[in-house]
Amino acid sequence: MKTLRTPLSEVKGLGSAREGTDHFWSQRLSALALIPLTLWLCFSIAALPGMDYLSIREWLSNPFTAIMMILLIITGFHHSRLGMQMVIEDYISSHATRTVVIIAVTLATWVFTVIGVFSVMRITFNG
């Protein structure tokens, strides 16, 4: 039986949407990046002498800590957006509704990412 696929499309192995593997790998890599970042956060907070506002503010004003927190915020929101998009694509059947919800989730994650990064930078530079 003769197929209508070109040899290049057979080699690339892309699905019918032509983008599934990028989404899959992006989600897996962000999950792998979140493992050491989350462990760092847990151990860093556990090692703090006190859990009061001033101790955490002083801890977060360290440049290394600020960079790690920014990486955690960006990676965490990126990973959550990818996961939410998968759930939305799986459970919302209407194309128009699905598109609107995906756009809303994407905009919300961008807003929360910018707020988080701005907050860390403000504490770091004013700390």
Side-chain angles (χ1 to χ4, degrees):
M1 177 173 197
K2 185 175 177 165
T3 66
L4 298 176
R5 295 180 70 181
T6 64
L8 179 62
S9 69
E10 290 178 13
V11 171
K12 283 187 172 183
L14 298 174
S16 62
R18 308 281 187 245
E19 64 182 40
T21 54
D22 290 341
H23 191 275
F24 174 85
W25 281 110
S26 182
Q27 189 175 28
R28 292 333 181 255
L29 290 174
S30 64
L32 280 175
L34 281 172
I35 293 170
L37 289 169
T38 304
L39 289 173
W40 164 82
L41 180 66
C42 292
F43 286 117
S44 295
I45 290 177
L48 286 175
M51 291 301 291
D52 59 311
Y53 175 75
L54 292 176
S55 296
I56 293 180
R57 188 175 176 113
E58 181 181 329
W59 169 74
L60 199 52
S61 66
N62 180 349
F64 176 76
T65 304
I67 290 170
M68 294 297 283
M69 282 299 292
I70 289 172
L71 287 174
L72 180 66
I73 290 167
I74 292 171
T75 307
F77 278 117
H78 176 68
H79 182 76
S80 68
R81 186 193 62 80
L82 292 172
M84 289 294 294
Q85 182 178 341
M86 282 183 52
V87 171
I88 291 164
E89 289 171 350
D90 287 344
Y91 291 106
I92 297 179
S93 58
S94 168
H95 181 71
T97 306
R98 182 174 52 232
T99 303
V100 168
V101 173
I102 288 173
I103 290 170
V105 166
T106 302
L107 288 175
T109 55
W110 275 104
V111 167
F112 291 135
T113 301
V114 168
I115 289 170
V117 170
F118 176 77
S119 300
V120 170
M121 291 175 65
R122 183 166 178 183
I123 290 172
T124 302
F125 294 126
N126 291 337

